[in-house]
Amino acid sequence: MRHEPKIFVAGHRGMVGSAVVRCLNAQGRKNIVTCTKAELDLTQQQAVRDFFAREKIDQVYLAAGKVGGIHANNTYPAEFIYQNLMMEANVIHEAWQAGVKKLLFMGSSCIYPRMAAQPMTENALMSGPLEPTNEPYAIAKIAGIKLCESYNRQYGTSHGTDYRSVMPTNLYGPGDNYDAQNSHVVPALIRRFHEAKICRAPTVVIWGSGTPLREFLFVGDMAAASVHVMDLDVPTYAAHTKPAQSHINVGFGSDISIAALAFKVANVVGYTGAITFDKSKNDGPPRKLLDSSHLKNLGWQPRVALKPGLVLAYADFCKKKSVLNNIEINTGHDKLESDTAKLIGWPGVNGHNHHMTVQQMGTSAL
C-alpha cells in the first residue's frame, strides 16, 4: 500500500494556509495536520519541538506568519521581524531535527529591492535596498529562504533534506484580512467601496496618484502553485533553481494600475459614485511585477483572472459581514461566482446565505 504523507500546514487559518488545505483536500489528500495558535505557538521553540516529536510529520507547508499592509508594517516593525524570524527558525529547525525531508516555505515579493528591474527575476534578490516601509518583514522572509538553502546545503546529501521556497506576488481572495487599518490593497478597496455603497457616499478617495502598477494573484492559484512545487521531483526542481538561489516566483504574469484596480473593485462591489485620487499621498515603487517564467516552465499556469477572483473575494467579504452582523448580503454576481468556484474546485462558495438584500450595515472609516 502506498504511504500517504502526513502533511502539516502551518498557518491554516490564514488566507494562504487555508487555501493550501482546500487544495490538498481537493486532490484527495486527507492526512493533514493543523493547529491553531492557541494549540501551538510557533514562536516557542520547545512547543514546536514537542509537536514534531509527537506528530511524526512527513511534509510541511510553512504558510504561517505575521502579515499586514503599509500601516501595519510601519506601526509594528519589531513584531513583524521578530515573530516571522522566530516562526521560520523554529519550524525549519525542528522539522529537520524530527527528520522531515520535505518543506515548502512561503515568502513574499517584498524580498526584492525597491527599484529592482521589472519584471523581477529570482536573481534580483539582495541586489539593492529594500522598500523601507516593510524592510523588517522582507528581511525575515529573506532569512526564511536562506534557512531552507542552508539546511539543504549542510544536510541535503547526508539527511535527504529538501526544503524549498516560493515567493508570491500580491495575493487576494477568500480568507483575506479586511481590517480597516492593517489590510492590503484589494481587501481595503473591497471594504471601502462596500461601505461607500451602503452609506451612498458620493465620492471615494484613494490614496496616491493611482498610476503605480501592481500584480495580483488569486490565493487559490497560489495554493495550487505551492502544491505543484512541493510535488516536483528533486532533479526537476534542481534543474530550474540554484543551490544558493532556490526560491521560485509565483505571479499572475501581468500587472494593472492602482486606478484601474480601484475601478474594477468598484464595479464588482456595485459602487457607482465618483472615484478620486489624493496625489499628496505616497505612491511607493512605480511598478512591481514578478518574472514567473521558471514556474511556468515547470508546467504551472494561473487559472483565475482578476475579475472573477475579485467576485470570489467580495463574496467572502460579504459572508464575513453577514455572519458578524447577522444580516444577509447579495453580491450581485451569482453566476460568475459559481462558475469560477467550479473552475477551481472551490467548495461551498454558493449556498452560504450571502445572496440576499442588505438589511443594515454599520460603516467605519478606512
Side-chain angles (χ1 to χ4, degrees):
M1 181 180 293
R2 181 182 176 184
H3 170 69
E4 182 178 351
K6 191 174 188 180
I7 303 171
F8 173 44
V9 179
H12 77 288
R13 285 189 167 179
M15 177 173 64
V16 176
S18 61
V20 169
V21 171
R22 286 190 292 268
C23 183
L24 292 170
N25 283 330
Q27 294 184 7
R29 307 190 199 191
K30 304 301 182 183
N31 199 5
I32 301 171
V33 177
T34 60
C35 294
T36 66
K37 185 176 181 179
E39 294 167 334
L40 176 61
D41 184 346
L42 297 178
T43 67
Q44 301 301 308
Q45 186 177 38
Q46 188 61 54
V48 177
R49 180 175 299 162
D50 293 343
F51 166 81
F52 277 105
R54 179 177 67 250
E55 293 294 337
K56 311 300 181 186
I57 299 296
D58 296 304
Q59 296 183 10
V60 176
Y61 286 85
L62 182 42
K66 182 175 178 63
V67 298
I70 293 175
H71 174 79
N73 276 271
N74 269 331
T75 307
Y76 311 110
E79 293 178 25
F80 273 85
I81 192 167
Y82 173 78
Q83 292 186 26
N84 284 296
L85 283 172
M86 291 302 100
M87 283 186 267
E88 296 158 10
N90 289 339
V91 172
I92 291 170
H93 181 70
E94 298 307 332
W96 171 78
Q97 287 272 54
V100 175
K101 299 294 191 295
K102 294 182 68 65
L103 179 147
L104 186 74
F105 170 69
M106 301 177 189
S108 165
S109 62
C110 72
I111 63 169
Y112 294 117
R114 184 179 189 276
M115 300 304 292
Q118 303 293 318
M120 297 178 288
T121 62
E122 286 86 353
N123 62 15
L125 180 65
M126 297 194 294
S127 63
L130 298 165
E131 168 62 36
T133 55
N134 58 16
E135 183 185 63
Y137 176 76
I139 288 174
K141 291 301 179 181
I142 293 170
I145 297 172
K146 294 306 174 182
L147 275 166
C148 290
E149 291 174 353
S150 298
Y151 277 72
N152 290 340
R153 179 181 172 187
Q154 186 167 346
Y155 304 116
T157 301
S158 60
H159 292 70
T161 303
D162 182 12
Y163 293 174
R164 305 174 181 185
S165 302
V166 287
M167 298 297 120
T169 189
N170 300 295
L171 301 173
Y172 70 96
D176 213 336
N177 171 23
Y178 302 95
D179 181 78
Q181 296 297 322
N182 298 325
S183 58
H184 290 103
V185 60
V186 170
L189 288 173
I190 287 174
R191 176 171 177 159
R192 181 173 293 188
F193 283 120
H194 178 83
E195 293 179 348
K197 178 180 74 171
I198 297 306
C199 68
R200 295 182 174 86
T203 304
V204 169
V205 180
I206 307 298
W207 282 13
S209 68
T211 58
L213 297 168
R214 296 291 184 267
E215 179 184 29
F216 297 94
L217 182 72
F218 183 69
V219 69
D221 280 336
M222 168 58 184
S226 299
V227 175
H228 182 82
V229 170
M230 176 72 97
D231 288 348
L232 293 170
D233 60 59
V234 173
T236 300
Y237 184 77
H240 289 81
T241 59
K242 301 174 184 177
Q245 196 178 91
S246 64
H247 60 289
I248 293 181
N249 288 341
V250 185
F252 184 74
S254 61
D255 50 15
I256 184 173
S257 72
I258 294 299
L261 173 68
F263 282 101
K264 276 186 178 290
V265 173
N267 176 263
V268 166
V269 171
Y271 175 73
T272 57
I275 301 172
T276 62
F277 297 87
D278 182 356
K279 296 181 181 180
S280 70
K281 303 299 184 183
N282 180 37
D283 271 339
R287 191 184 192 198
K288 286 187 69 176
L289 174 66
L290 290 180
D291 181 333
S292 301
S293 56
H294 281 311
L295 182 56
K296 291 179 181 179
N297 290 337
L298 286 164
W300 179 86
Q301 293 278 353
R303 302 179 67 187
V304 181
L306 184 57
K307 183 174 180 179
L310 290 174
V311 166
L312 289 179
Y314 183 48
D316 177 64
F317 172 84
C318 291
K319 176 186 173 186
K320 289 181 178 179
K321 278 289 187 183
S322 46
V323 170
L324 180 65
N325 295 326
N326 195 28
I327 59 175
E328 295 179 337
I329 303 172
N330 178 18
T331 66
H333 298 281
D334 288 34
K335 187 175 188 306
L336 181 56
E337 184 184 332
S338 177
D339 290 348
T340 306
K342 290 177 182 177
L343 170 68
I344 62 175
W346 208 268
V349 176
N350 291 99
H352 279 299
N353 296 324
H354 56 275
H355 299 295
M356 298 179 70
T357 305
V358 174
Q359 301 298 321
Q360 63 182 35
M361 176 67 66
T363 61
S364 60
L366 286 177

